[in-house]
Amino acid sequence: MDLIRPRHYKLVPELVRRDRGDHGRRGESFFPELLNRSAALDFIHESLPRPVRPTSPSLMPTAEGPIERILLTIPNYAVQDPTMAAAFQGLLGSLPAATRLVVLVQASAKSVVEAWLKAAGKEQAELNTFEDTLNISIWAEDAFVVAKDTVTGATFFVEPYSFPRYADGLIGDFVANFTDLRDTRAPLYFQGGNTLIGDDFFFIGADYPARSLQYISSHVLTPPVGVSAKEFVKSAYKDYLDKNRKIIYVGSRVPVPQETTRKFNVSGEEWTETLYAGNAQGTTQPLFHIDMFITLVGRGDAGKYKVLVGDPKMAFKTLGRPAPLHAMVSVFDDIASGLADQGFDVVRNPLPLVYMDDPQNKERRWYFATSNNALVQNGPKKEVWLPTYGYGDWTELKKTDDENATIWEELGFAVHRLPDFHPFAENLGAVHCIKKYLARSQPATS
């Protein structure tokens, strides 16, 4: 029987799980909610200037070039919680001196965040507030993608047709009001964390094109005569997100288990545990978003593009015990194999499956302590920012933290180890999820 491992941090009720509101998850209705919410948001959006969409969009790369400009959204709960606050401060203190910050912060947390910025030498950050009565999450990555118009040079937040988590769908509007960035929308389903952008390609998790297909059956979109629905959706992603990069759908060809709960026994008491967190019914993606288990690295000397794909079996070998069935080893192996089949240089890295216990309520939550959800810049100086997990009752994870760092060092990267990211990972995110790249110091396409 596994040891009882209570949280070494407080459970913050306001820290919403990253898949909250994602359509079709945990019994949520898909189109009624989507269309009703979209209609409600139209009242808000009608009062705001809506610039035309970029004529030649090019997505902001995930790893290519130095990080020039980055967005953070910081609600008050992230300031008040010591573990989350330390994570944000660790990130701010380790970002390159040349990186410019755009920060949207809850009004009551403004003075504290200003002190963080000063301590990190980032006083010149573009900072603005949102009201304490408005709920915006820490997950700055997801509500849009960022694309540069290669014709005009303008940079756009490109929002999906609908984004139902908290008020995160308004982030682009707010930031566009106090910066030079612009804001537009696309009639497609996508989220930033489910896209990864390379030099001449971009990945999108396969679940979301499947959902965009449903926009055709609900008459949001109508394909031209003679064009299949699948062809039309794929071309629409290229038209609205990136004209020139090749689009590659990423998913598992073997079944992915659905999130579930089950009973188990601890010292004669009945407990409940949650397995496969974030996995919707019928999903082809484990762990909710592809940025949780895939990391873009860059092109190697032989010209192949290198990617890291998380490997639970490798993690459990490092920790000296066998991987349990619910580690989904075959799923991650299949995705890695599929990417290799498409010509990518695939490197595997440890992806530990861990849990936190609530003895009072007799509940256990399983989640992946991901180091794949990292920040990367691969030129001219190679650097990576890794979340770490060897804390509390999980000090043994220092072994997998070390192994992940070693892999990056062997790839030629300077490694910045960030503080404890357990509260984020338990809610299906880490450092890649709490930021948005706004600019890189070299062109978005190579």
Side-chain angles (χ1 to χ4, degrees):
M1 180 62 214
D2 289 321
L3 298 172
I4 294 178
R5 306 196 193 218
R7 290 179 185 86
H8 55 274
Y9 51 87
K10 291 183 179 179
L11 193 64
V12 179
E14 297 87 354
L15 177 55
V16 64
R17 216 174 77 165
R18 196 175 170 212
D19 63 339
R20 173 71 62 84
D22 198 48
H23 303 305
R25 295 186 178 274
R26 295 189 303 282
E28 295 170 358
S29 60
F30 182 64
F31 280 104
E33 178 192 354
L34 182 152
L35 296 174
N36 290 340
R37 179 177 173 79
S38 179
L41 284 177
D42 282 343
F43 287 106
I44 299 171
H45 284 286
E46 283 172 4
S47 64
L48 298 168
R50 308 299 299 178
V52 295
R53 65 187 175 101
T55 56
S56 181
S58 179
L59 289 167
M60 198 58 57
T62 301
E64 266 60 53
I67 302 168
E68 183 178 288
R69 197 180 186 194
I70 201 168
L71 168 69
L72 301 174
T73 57
I74 307 179
N76 192 44
Y77 65 79
V79 170
Q80 293 180 336
D81 179 75
T83 307
M84 282 189 282
F88 274 102
Q89 289 173 281
L91 175 60
L92 290 171
S94 60
L95 284 172
T99 300
R100 294 180 291 136
L101 289 172
V102 176
V103 183
L104 186 61
V105 61
Q106 201 155 26
S108 56
K110 181 182 178 184
S111 61
V112 176
V113 173
E114 285 176 330
W116 291 356
L117 294 169
K118 183 177 181 180
K122 299 290 186 183
E123 298 99 321
Q124 301 305 312
E126 298 172 89
L127 184 144
N128 213 326
T129 62
F130 60 95
E131 297 85 352
D132 287 342
T133 55
L134 187 66
N135 291 323
I136 286 176
S137 79
I138 58 171
W139 309 121
E141 177 63 29
D142 292 331
F144 37 73
V145 295
V146 173
K148 188 170 184 177
D149 191 332
T150 60
V151 175
T152 66
T155 300
F156 287 79
F157 294 115
V158 184
E159 300 177 15
Y161 180 67
S162 176
F163 190 81
R165 187 182 66 212
Y166 274 13
D168 287 2
L170 298 177
I171 293 172
D173 297 301
F174 285 165
V175 176
N177 283 338
F178 70 91
T179 67
D180 60 329
L181 282 93
R182 308 172 80 177
D183 188 40
T184 189
R185 292 171 78 185
L188 296 161
Y189 197 93
F190 57 89
Q191 293 183 18
N194 213 28
T195 58
L196 294 170
I197 301 93
D199 52 2
D200 63 0
F201 67 92
F202 70 98
F203 292 155
I204 183 168
D207 285 354
Y208 288 178
R211 294 183 189 182
S212 288
L213 281 172
Q214 297 179 61
Y215 285 171
I216 293 174
S217 61
S218 67
H219 308 294
V220 174
L221 293 169
T222 302
V225 175
V227 178
S228 72
K230 289 184 178 179
E231 291 173 330
F232 178 57
V233 165
K234 198 164 192 175
S235 67
Y237 276 114
K238 289 183 65 67
D239 286 343
Y240 280 90
L241 304 188
D242 198 301
K243 291 281 191 180
N244 297 310
R245 286 182 171 89
K246 177 183 179 182
I247 182 171
I248 298 172
Y249 296 158
V250 177
S252 170
R253 296 163 294 187
V254 301
V256 178
Q258 180 182 352
E259 179 174 332
T260 188
T261 59
R262 70 182 182 190
K263 303 297 183 181
F264 70 108
N265 189 278
V266 177
S267 301
E269 295 183 319
E270 185 178 81
W271 282 46
T272 301
E273 61 183 347
T274 300
L275 309 175
Y276 311 119
N279 292 1
Q281 183 178 6
T283 185
T284 64
Q285 302 173 210
L287 200 45
F288 181 50
H289 276 173
I290 61 174
D291 71 346
M292 291 292 283
F293 59 90
I294 298 175
T295 319
L296 301 190
V297 179
R299 295 218 175 256
D301 294 337
K304 278 190 173 185
Y305 201 98
K306 194 180 299 291
V307 298
L308 265 61
V309 178
D311 185 347
K313 186 177 181 179
M314 185 178 182
F316 278 97
K317 182 178 180 181
T318 299
L319 297 174
R321 56 183 185 271
L325 180 63
H326 57 278
M328 299 184 288
V329 169
S330 63
V331 173
F332 293 106
D333 285 351
D334 181 74
I335 290 172
S337 174
L339 291 173
D341 290 344
Q342 295 185 71
F344 289 93
D345 181 4
V346 177
V347 177
R348 306 304 299 274
N349 69 287
L351 181 63
L353 177 65
V354 301
Y355 58 87
M356 288 295 177
D357 288 331
D358 180 352
Q360 181 176 353
N361 294 309
K362 299 180 177 59
E363 293 177 346
R364 172 170 292 176
R365 293 188 191 180
W366 288 87
Y367 60 95
F368 286 91
T370 173
S371 292
N372 291 89
N373 197 267
L375 307 189
V376 180
Q377 61 176 30
N378 62 18
K381 182 180 180 182
K382 293 184 175 183
E383 297 182 78
V384 63
W385 287 259
L386 295 180
T388 58
Y389 299 96
Y391 306 93
D393 285 328
W394 285 105
T395 54
E396 67 202 81
L397 294 184
K398 290 178 180 177
K399 295 179 182 178
T400 48
D401 290 340
D402 289 345
E403 190 170 357
N404 275 298
T406 298
I407 289 170
W408 281 99
E409 288 166 352
E410 291 175 348
L411 292 171
F413 283 76
V415 175
H416 302 276
R417 298 196 192 202
L418 299 174
D420 186 355
F421 262 79
H422 274 287
F424 302 85
E426 185 180 356
N427 287 281
L428 305 179
V431 67
H432 187 266
C433 308
I434 65 172
K435 66 89 202 69
K436 193 71 183 180
Y437 298 128
L438 302 179
R440 294 273 187 175
S441 295
Q442 63 185 38
T445 55
S446 60

